[in-house]
Amino acid sequence: MNSLHESWKYSILSPAVTGKPQQFVQLDAAEPAGILRKPLFGLNLLALAGRMVEAGEPAWRGKQLAEALYRQRVGALDTITTLPKPLRQRLVAEGWDVGRPRIAQVFESVDGTERYLVESAGGDGQKVETVWMPEGDGGETGDGSEADGANGEREAGKRWERATICVSSQVGCAVNCQFCLTAKLGLQRNLTAGEIAGQVVAVLERHLVEVGRDRVNLVFMGMGEPFLNYDNFMGAVRLLVEEVGLSPRRMTVSTSGIVPGIERFAREPAEVRPKLAISLNAPNDRIRSEIMPINKKWPIEAVVDAVRKVQLRPRERITFEYVLLGGVTDRVEHAVEVARLARRTGLPVKVNLIAWNPGPGIEYTMPKPEAVEAFRSTLEGEGVPVYVRRPRGRDIFAACGQLKRTVEG
Ligand code: SF4
């Protein structure tokens, strides 16, 4: 490797993957192999202050560290210039490192979507997927997030006005939804809070996002079921809210309907509670149990009962995510049933329709565009707010239900 390439790893993406002429993509610097370091990234302010006190330093050094890790998004301890050099050297000598997860590979879609394979620092080499969608996919429309601050005006040099980051919470998933590619992996392991928040910070840094100014939404809808890794998921949310400075009103977590998780979530204070989406996907328990076996444990009514415990903010809505499977869940009579169900909940509900995205080894078919439109207009006619999520990054397997650590593109 020559000196120009010493600190950065480059990858060549083929035109089949990028849809553009062959190009180099710059990736985050890789750690030298064989060094197992303790990551500071993932520790909150209190824990960082504790580390500093243990090191014989005043607690306020923890604040400097938090600023550097989460606001300035530094990648290496020796660049934290607010800390005296001897302290930096001592931390390195004691085995500490920034340890933020790094983007190991990038797939670019023709529509501007980017899918990343993100690797934990000094970890087991397993990668999770994170997706960047400039201009979003319409998923947050009508759920109350418009009420929040950041103005989202396009700045000179920025190619997007707003963006959505789709974040993973586990490596693989145990829930086994029949239409989902991630389910094929099974559950490999839970991600830590630092690994979940680190995906976000790595992507913010890649796109030079200015927190508080740029309009960025987070959706915890990547690989995994967040409510089956509850403590780490909420730990990541707290880091992102309290240390990184993102608003929980711009975050949505989607669950397949883990009732004990929803009940815990309902008790979270509003200052750190994201919005809630239920991955409904079927009009009734019979069809839902077929395509989502988890429904046998927690059927629709049990899920709705738990959702009723969440204290919604003004204008906030519960989202029902609904994947349309051709011939299975996309009929007009299904739409009528979904409308009835939405009314029965008594909750402010909106429905997001997602035309199913094909994946290798999954036997469903895509719904016809006429079926999607008929479903949408039926719900609308029944008075249910409904939005069709634009498919993003289908060509790079970045779309909903397609994330599976695929490197084939
Ligand atoms: S749809 Fe979500 S909950 Fe279901 S298997 Fe896929 S990742 Fe897991």
Side-chain angles (χ1 to χ4, degrees):
M1 207 180 257
N2 67 35
S3 61
L4 183 71
H5 289 181
E6 239 160 42
S7 58
W8 295 97
K9 192 173 162 194
Y10 287 80
S11 166
I12 303 174
L13 299 184
S14 78
V17 171
T18 64
K20 297 174 188 167
Q22 225 168 45
Q23 59 190 277
F24 284 107
V25 174
Q26 185 176 296
L27 306 174
D28 290 353
E31 267 285 306
I35 298 179
L36 254 189
R37 296 199 159 274
K38 297 175 278 186
L40 289 165
F41 194 96
L43 301 179
N44 64 15
L45 178 58
L46 204 66
L48 290 170
R51 290 284 172 283
M52 289 295 95
V53 171
E54 276 171 28
E57 295 288 327
W60 52 260
R61 289 268 183 232
K63 177 86 184 146
Q64 291 178 318
L65 259 178
E67 282 281 330
L69 294 175
Y70 302 115
R71 302 276 174 161
Q72 294 158 21
R73 308 189 292 241
V74 299
L77 263 179
D78 58 13
T79 58
I80 307 180
T81 48
T82 46
L83 298 184
K85 200 165 179 193
L87 174 58
R88 282 181 263 159
Q89 287 169 337
R90 190 144 48 90
L91 287 170
V92 172
E94 286 170 4
W96 292 101
D97 190 15
V98 167
R100 187 177 76 205
R102 70 183 193 96
I103 294 174
Q105 203 164 356
V106 181
F107 300 90
E108 292 182 342
S109 166
V110 287
D111 67 11
T113 301
E114 293 185 349
R115 177 168 69 94
Y116 312 109
L117 299 187
V118 179
E119 188 175 36
S120 301
D124 49 13
Q126 284 185 319
K127 297 181 182 70
V128 291
E129 311 220 349
T130 312
V131 181
W132 163 263
M133 293 175 280
E135 313 314 333
D137 64 354
E140 72 283 1
T141 319
D143 66 0
S145 32
E146 297 83 356
D148 188 47
N151 62 23
E153 278 164 26
R154 191 193 297 259
E155 261 184 80
K158 286 228 166 89
R159 289 175 296 154
W160 44 275
E161 274 180 30
R162 61 190 179 85
T164 300
I165 304 173
C166 180
V167 186
S168 293
S169 54
Q170 296 179 307
V171 184
C173 186
V175 177
N176 200 23
C177 303
Q178 300 295 294
F179 50 83
C180 171
L181 208 50
T182 305
K184 302 261 175 202
L185 281 173
L187 176 65
Q188 316 243 324
R189 72 174 175 89
N190 282 332
L191 295 179
T192 64
E195 287 172 323
I196 299 170
Q199 295 166 61
V200 177
V201 174
V203 176
L204 295 178
E205 184 59 13
R206 176 177 169 80
H207 292 279
L208 303 176
V209 171
E210 289 178 56
V211 172
R213 178 165 187 157
D214 293 330
R215 206 170 127 185
V216 173
N217 296 302
L218 304 186
V219 293
F220 296 93
M221 300 185 187
M223 300 170 84
E225 163 56 64
F227 285 179
L228 290 180
N229 184 19
Y230 191 90
D231 289 331
N232 291 340
F233 157 68
M234 271 312 295
V237 168
R238 277 200 193 86
L239 278 176
L240 292 165
V241 172
E242 291 164 2
E243 313 302 348
V244 178
L246 297 169
S247 165
R249 291 163 181 260
R250 295 212 156 272
M251 301 178 190
T252 303
V253 58
S254 176
T255 177
S256 57
I258 309 295
V259 164
I262 300 171
E263 287 173 341
R264 279 186 77 181
F265 186 73
R267 294 194 292 272
E268 296 291 350
E271 311 84 70
V272 291
R273 181 181 61 70
K275 289 170 295 162
L276 182 62
I278 301 297
S279 197
L280 180 68
N281 304 324
N284 55 49
D285 281 322
R286 185 183 57 77
I287 300 178
R288 195 165 190 265
S289 294
E290 272 169 32
I291 62 173
M292 298 178 73
I294 193 89
N295 192 70
K296 292 178 195 148
K297 182 155 190 181
W298 290 299
I300 295 171
E301 261 332 297
V303 173
V304 169
D305 275 348
V307 173
R308 286 198 186 98
K309 296 180 180 154
V310 178
Q311 288 252 321
L312 298 177
R313 306 174 181 97
R315 290 189 296 278
E316 183 178 348
R317 284 184 184 272
I318 297 291
T319 301
F320 282 167
E321 302 286 345
Y322 193 100
V323 173
L324 291 157
L325 301 170
V328 180
T329 60
D330 68 342
R331 304 212 178 106
V332 165
E333 59 265 32
H334 297 151
V336 173
E337 261 189 279
V338 171
R340 240 182 265 141
L341 167 63
R343 278 195 295 270
R344 209 169 57 235
T345 66
L347 293 162
V349 162
K350 68 146 188 152
V351 177
N352 273 357
L353 299 177
I354 306 146
W356 180 72
N357 293 298
I362 302 188
E363 298 303 323
Y364 293 110
T365 53
M366 287 175 73
K368 296 201 170 71
E370 312 86 82
V372 176
E373 176 48 25
F375 203 100
R376 190 203 63 76
S377 60
T378 304
L379 278 175
E380 193 178 65
E382 297 272 342
V384 178
V386 55
Y387 303 87
V388 179
R389 276 171 60 178
R390 288 183 294 134
R392 301 300 311 265
R394 261 186 193 158
D395 53 333
I396 54 164
F397 284 89
C400 286
Q402 287 190 315
L403 303 183
K404 202 194 90 176
R405 262 187 339 181
T406 39
V407 290
E408 312 91 77

